[in-house]
Amino acid sequence: MRTEEPGRATARRPPDRKARIAAAAGDLFCERGYHNVSVADVAAAVGITAPALYRHFKGKPDLLLHVVTGVIEKIAATAQAAPDLDSYLRASAARSVDRRGAAILWQREARHLPEASREELRRALSDIAGRIGALLKDARPELSSSDLELTAWCVVSVFGSISGHRVALPRRRFEQLLYELGDVAAHHPLGTAVSAVADEPGPTQLYADLAVSRREELLNAAIRLFDERGFQSVSTDDIGEATGATGPSIYKHFPSKTDLLVAAVLRGGEQRRSATERALARAGTPRASLNELLRSYIEFAQRHSHLIGLLIGELDQLPEKERKSSRQAQRDYLALWVHVLDEVRPGLDTAEAKITISAVMTVVDNAVRTGRLGERPDLADRLFEIGTALLLRTGSSS
């Protein structure tokens, strides 16, 4: 029989320690990025030693897999438990506010998992979209299978959009706004937008026929690899191999791997700014300005999906000066959207405007980067319809 020394309490391991470790790891991965968090950091956040953490997880990769899997399982549970579409929308709005960083774990950090694990998680996400599609079909039997798929992913994107910012609202209003946006994405009719006809080619089209220099080849390969794997998981040898060059030859064009990232992010910001200026120059009314701004963003995202990935996930890897500049450029771009939207919807709360615009951008970003959706020939028009409905809060069932 075990006895205790007088005056000394026996330390007991909390029954929920594994869950607490996973929660702390998820918060740290969202805040700092997977590569910038150590096992010791996670252990310290929980108030235990690193050896104690290893009783529950084999190492940091195992911990990341557990965290991301747990996030997706919770999303799946919400979808499976919902008896109808409206119940799902309300439950997801509440869940999203409670677990705000969930989407960023999949979008940014899951890239560091082995390919087999990522593929399994992709299947799980597709199953979630399928379940939401089934709920949509009950509510909107007129939708084709491809439109059900697109609409389901747009709904998922709305709820995941708050992972990408820190804009806050009172809890009840935040949930209600997310529910309303999800409801709009779920119910807005498709097939009503008139295709936009470009009256002049953008820079990408103008340069499409020009010979690509070695520097351009390296930069394009780096953009793709940084997006697919994450900046810290890509070496100069990887970039060289992707272009048929040796790693050291990269330094003839870029002094370091970081300089490649800086050049890529600068390019993304410049091309988006140029597209925005051309779009707004064509507009004559506030509503036309909003339409042109939305169409220009959709076009930019479709042409530069890997650049979108960098702007979402890799700004923290920039040197301090460039990071601050890029963050400010992001804030300025969002402020432009808020200004244009305010002219169309005067008096709209600024925080609500920012949350709404973020939802629209996330819907666009995810659609152009998600499997079969990005291959739809009518995707730009469908995204314009859904984006416009979200911005104006029209087309819901309520």
Side-chain angles (χ1 to χ4, degrees):
M1 180 176 179
R2 183 177 178 180
T3 60
E4 299 179 7
E5 296 180 22
R8 176 178 293 180
T10 302
R12 296 181 181 275
R13 185 182 304 167
D16 63 343
R17 176 170 286 177
K18 185 171 185 177
R20 290 170 57 195
I21 292 171
D27 290 342
L28 288 171
F29 293 156
C30 285
E31 180 182 348
R32 304 182 195 173
Y34 174 74
H35 281 295
N36 298 322
V37 175
S38 68
V39 168
D41 292 332
V42 178
V46 184
I48 61 175
T49 63
L53 185 148
Y54 283 113
R55 297 191 187 105
H56 301 279
F57 298 98
K58 297 176 183 178
K60 199 168 72 162
D62 183 42
L63 183 53
L64 177 62
L65 177 60
H66 182 87
V67 168
V68 178
T69 300
V71 164
I72 292 177
E73 286 176 346
K74 288 182 174 67
I75 297 172
T78 301
Q80 290 296 333
D84 53 53
L85 179 60
D86 191 69
S87 298
Y88 166 74
L89 296 174
R90 293 187 183 279
S92 287
R95 176 195 57 76
S96 298
V97 175
D98 286 334
R99 295 189 291 274
R100 189 162 181 172
I104 207 70
L105 287 168
W106 164 252
Q107 293 173 343
R108 190 183 70 195
E109 306 307 331
R111 295 176 299 175
H112 307 303
L113 293 170
E115 177 57 32
S117 297
R118 292 203 305 275
E119 181 57 34
E120 186 174 344
L121 292 170
R122 278 192 287 265
R123 286 195 295 270
L125 282 170
S126 293
D127 290 344
I128 292 170
R131 169 57 182 164
I132 298 169
L135 296 173
L136 281 163
K137 188 171 182 61
D138 289 340
R140 302 184 62 187
E142 78 281 3
L143 289 181
S144 66
S145 59
S146 60
D147 284 348
L148 285 170
E149 181 182 31
L150 173 61
T151 304
W153 280 113
C154 288
V155 170
V156 171
S157 297
V158 165
F159 293 125
S161 65
I162 63 172
S163 284
H165 61 78
R166 297 182 180 180
V167 182
L169 283 175
R171 171 62 188 248
R172 183 173 296 181
R173 181 57 198 144
F174 207 162
E175 277 191 37
Q176 181 62 25
L177 176 58
L178 283 179
Y179 165 73
E180 291 172 7
L181 292 171
D183 192 55
V184 168
H187 289 96
H188 186 73
L190 300 177
T192 60
V194 177
S195 297
V197 178
D199 56 0
E200 56 181 286
T204 300
Q205 188 62 42
L206 288 172
Y207 300 148
D209 297 329
L210 298 180
V212 178
S213 68
R214 171 61 72 184
R215 187 179 190 278
E216 289 296 298
E217 286 182 338
L218 291 169
L219 186 56
N220 290 335
I223 289 170
R224 177 178 59 81
L225 291 173
F226 291 159
D227 176 32
E228 292 174 350
R229 305 182 195 174
F231 174 75
Q232 294 197 36
S233 296
V234 176
S235 68
T236 53
D237 286 338
D238 294 329
I239 298 169
E241 181 180 353
T243 59
T246 60
S249 69
I250 292 175
Y251 301 120
K252 297 177 182 177
H253 304 280
F254 298 93
S256 70
K257 189 177 74 165
T258 298
D259 287 296
L260 271 164
L261 179 62
V262 170
V265 171
L266 287 175
R267 165 174 290 187
E270 289 168 358
Q271 292 186 343
R272 186 176 64 184
R273 181 170 58 253
S274 176
T276 301
E277 290 173 353
R278 292 196 310 275
L280 294 182
R282 293 193 293 265
T285 65
R287 179 60 189 274
S289 294
L290 186 63
N291 289 348
E292 292 291 348
L293 191 58
L294 176 57
R295 283 216 182 263
S296 73
Y297 187 77
I298 293 169
E299 181 182 6
F300 172 78
Q302 287 188 297
R303 288 184 173 184
H304 307 291
S305 63
H306 289 302
L307 275 175
I308 288 289
L310 291 193
L311 296 174
I312 291 172
E314 299 300 332
L315 294 189
D316 286 341
Q317 304 301 324
L318 292 169
E320 182 178 5
K321 178 182 176 182
E322 286 79 8
R323 182 172 64 251
K324 288 182 177 179
S325 177
S326 295
R327 293 290 185 197
Q328 186 60 51
Q330 297 277 57
R331 288 190 290 269
D332 291 344
Y333 186 60
L334 179 59
L336 171 64
W337 274 83
V338 171
H339 173 74
V340 173
L341 182 58
D342 182 66
E343 290 190 322
V344 178
R345 297 178 61 188
L348 179 64
D349 178 79
T350 299
E352 291 193 19
K354 289 180 178 180
I355 292 167
T356 299
I357 293 163
S358 176
V360 172
M361 290 181 178
T362 304
V363 165
V364 173
D365 295 345
N366 289 353
V368 302
R369 292 162 56 82
T370 299
R372 293 191 300 265
L373 299 186
E375 300 171 2
R376 285 184 60 140
D378 64 342
L379 182 61
D381 291 328
R382 303 294 79 77
L383 290 177
F384 178 77
E385 292 167 347
I386 295 169
T388 299
L390 291 170
L391 290 167
L392 303 181
R393 207 83 54 80
T394 59
S396 71
S397 61
S398 53

